[in-house]
Amino acid sequence: MHDWIVVGAGFAGAVMAERIAAVRGETVLVVDKRDHIAGNAHDRRNADGILFHQYGPHIFHTNSSAISDYLSRFTEWRPYEHRVLASVDGQLVPIPINRTTINRLYGLDLDEAGVAAFLAARAEDVADIRTSEDVVVSKIGRELYEKFFRGYTRKQWGLDPSELDRSVTARVPTRTNDDDRYFTDSFQQMPRDGYTAMFERMLANPLITVQLGVDALAIPAAERPARMVYTGPIDEYFDQRFGPLPYRSLQFCHVSQDVEFAQTAATINFPQDQDYTRVTEVKHLTGQEHPRTMLTYEYPSATGDPYYPIPRPENEALFKQYEALARAEADTWFVGRLATYRYYNMDQVVGQALASFLKLDAAVPRTEAQAA
Ligand code: FAD
Ligand code: UDP
């Protein structure tokens, strides 16, 4: 039997398996219930040979050189800065809202100080900024909030922004200059050969065995290694003892088109009328040259695979109940977006996994045969 079982072959599971094998020299069985590795970052080729992201657009960005250095062991990179347009009142304008957005929407020609004054004049005083509504109206006022944030958020989460923690819409900044990049991190690059290829290299250590299409929770405890890293939904691990933790899902609609490019921007957000939230043309992200193209539409959904934890106080309270059980669970380590119920980007999951590995390595004696 292997020394460890790692449940989930996404970022959390792959980093933990790679570290356990490479640093501790122990054997690891990685299982995933899906038929592929790389979790939600999985990419593959469609019938035309276009590399696409099965679970929606994944753009890698980080300010941590420790995290980019670690992943650089498994991939070359392609520089890529993501830009997004929002379809608002019949126009396509930059989001995050910047100087161009304000000038185009209102037919103005403001400089940076003018935009700052424009927004300050509309910003509302909010004494206690708690919700995703507060954080936006206190910066840009109600009209822009309603145009860009209220509809998108209601679609994406099935909740009004006033019902969500401020951290959700706070992910999207407001700018007074012309910077139209979605992210400002110091490192913004895509894995040159794609995410799945990077994961193949992370999991290539001969001490690691990967089994796909296997639900780890269906394996009797006696038939699997006692030492476990678990990266699935935390409530499922505990049979939803305190009730299900809410997660938000999406349906992805991938559409091929017989044109080289179908839209000018990598992603177009639809905060107003449509049922979908955004449309992404993956070739902008990967840089692939191809006479045909592919668009991915994201339709939010209450049912389906758990993609997003839903940040709000009652969910955090329920998560804390499960977290207390997790702390008391000997020999099992809970890591990743679903197991720690955190709205983390890929780099944050990698950072969390690297830190969890250090704790695990300090706490768990290495297998005798290997330590000798
Ligand atoms: P996951 O990738 O979800 O992996 C968990 C794995 O565990 C899954 O493959 C699942 O099948 C498996 N599993 C669960 N339970 C079991 C079980 N019982 N037995 C066996 N296997 C099991 N981040 C960015 O940094 N940039 C982006 O642009 C970005 N875009 C995103 C777009 C969308 C639409 C979504 C949904 C997420 C996006 N993210 C992005 C976030 C990114 O996907 C996550 O941070 C990251 O994939 C989380 O990795 P993870 O290993 O924690 O979880
Ligand atoms: N958001 C919005 N309008 C937009 C973009 C984002 O209201 O045009 C809000 C929405 O609630 C969204 C959140 O900000 O869920 C975070 O946006 P991000 O693009 O980071 O979402 P993700 O890529 O994680 O789905």
Side-chain angles (χ1 to χ4, degrees), residues 100-283:
T100 316
T101 315
I102 300 296
N103 282 338
R104 279 223 207 120
L105 268 187
Y106 293 97
L108 299 169
D109 188 22
L110 301 173
D111 60 10
E112 276 197 56
V115 174
F118 179 96
L119 295 175
R122 284 158 181 78
E124 288 181 12
D125 273 341
V126 182
D128 180 16
I129 298 176
R130 283 183 303 107
T131 72
S132 270
E133 176 181 321
D134 298 338
V135 78
V136 180
V137 297
S138 65
K139 268 200 233 130
I140 62 174
R142 199 153 291 275
E143 184 174 293
L144 287 166
Y145 158 75
E146 287 175 3
K147 285 188 196 298
F148 286 86
F149 288 90
R150 191 177 63 185
Y152 187 107
T153 301
R154 284 181 176 172
K155 266 194 274 190
Q156 170 73 9
W157 300 94
L159 293 168
D160 189 79
S162 61
E163 299 172 290
L164 275 170
D165 191 84
R166 66 179 182 182
S167 59
V168 176
T169 52
R171 290 166 61 90
V172 182
T174 304
R175 307 198 182 111
T176 54
N177 61 17
D178 294 331
D179 190 349
D180 63 348
R181 296 171 305 161
Y182 206 67
F183 309 109
T184 51
D185 302 49
S186 54
F187 185 95
Q188 304 190 40
Q189 312 239 17
M190 297 289 287
R192 193 194 59 194
D193 307 322
Y195 289 98
T196 304
M198 179 174 78
F199 275 73
E200 277 165 5
R201 288 181 214 117
M202 293 172 82
L203 296 168
N205 190 316
L207 296 175
I208 299 175
T209 310
V210 179
Q211 278 180 11
L212 299 174
V214 176
D215 182 345
L217 297 180
I219 307 174
E223 291 173 26
R224 57 149 177 93
R227 292 171 173 184
M228 177 187 277
V229 173
Y230 180 79
T231 77
I234 189 168
D235 56 329
E236 277 183 19
Y237 181 93
F238 294 107
D239 295 324
Q240 302 190 326
R241 193 177 305 179
F242 304 124
L245 257 179
Y247 294 90
R248 189 68 173 163
S249 192
L250 294 169
Q251 305 294 329
F252 301 100
C253 184
H254 304 287
V255 181
S256 296
Q257 284 198 17
D258 198 14
V259 290
E260 193 178 0
F261 280 101
Q263 57 188 42
T264 52
T267 297
I268 299 179
N269 283 2
F270 291 89
Q272 291 179 331
D273 302 324
Q274 287 71 4
D275 289 341
Y276 42 84
T277 49
R278 58 186 177 190
V279 182
T280 300
E281 186 166 35
V282 72
K283 280 168 59 188

Side-chain angles (χ1 to χ4, degrees), residues 8 11-12 32-33 40 57-59 214-216 337 344-346:
F11 269 100
D32 202 298
K33 58 183 170 193
N40 289 337
H58 277 70
I59 298 107
V214 176
D215 182 345
R337 177 151 145 149
Y344 275 165
N345 295 325
M346 294 180 279

